[in-house]
Amino acid sequence: QRVPTLLYDADCGFCTQSAHWLRRRRLGAAIEPLQRADLAALGVDPVRARLEIPFVSDDSGTPRHTTVSYGAEAVAWALLTGGPGWRLVGRLLLHPPLSWPARAVYVLVAANRHRLPGASESCRIE
């Protein structure tokens, strides 16, 4: 069975810092650079993965049956693999009304990640 995995852009300093922060939360998901992942095998759209963080979950216990979520939803699904407090946050972020601002905030952060702490111009999304 595949371990649920959150993929991040290792070329972006802000994304890398965020990934380290999430690892310290001791989630049950792996947190890996998307540059090292076999995106095609995981069913991840490489263009979309550069714009929105992907989360790959195993739905059935078989290696070929996965679901990919992106953006705020991906972060929420990753949090669902954590302890009780993080699972609660993940559940809240997946459902309205909190899912709406979560998506908006994610889009705002992603569009401006090159301006955030730890970032550089290589973090800019074109």
Side-chain angles (χ1 to χ4, degrees):
Q1 185 171 349
R2 183 176 307 191
V3 174
T5 304
L6 185 69
L7 300 170
Y8 69 94
D9 183 357
D11 291 336
C12 174
F14 174 74
C15 297
T16 300
Q17 284 187 351
S18 299
H20 291 313
W21 185 88
L22 283 169
R23 281 191 190 107
R24 289 192 301 273
R25 308 292 71 85
R26 300 179 190 261
L27 303 178
I31 302 170
E32 303 294 335
L34 65 90
Q35 289 84 350
R36 289 193 223 148
D38 183 346
L39 301 181
L42 294 172
V44 172
D45 177 338
V47 174
R48 191 166 179 193
R50 296 290 294 168
L51 302 173
E52 299 178 275
I53 192 169
F55 179 78
V56 181
S57 62
D58 182 3
D59 291 337
S60 67
T62 61
R64 298 203 184 274
H65 194 268
T66 60
T67 298
V68 182
S69 302
Y70 295 89
E73 186 176 295
V75 174
W77 280 107
L79 293 174
L80 283 169
T81 70
W86 292 117
R87 286 194 304 269
L88 175 61
V89 172
R91 269 191 235 105
L92 291 171
L93 291 176
L94 282 173
H95 301 287
L98 290 181
S99 62
W100 302 325
R103 287 185 197 127
V105 168
Y106 184 90
V107 168
L108 183 66
V109 169
N112 292 285
R113 68 185 194 168
H114 61 287
R115 296 184 175 115
L116 298 172
S120 67
E121 276 303 305
S122 65
C123 301
R124 183 183 295 271
I125 296 175
E126 299 299 329

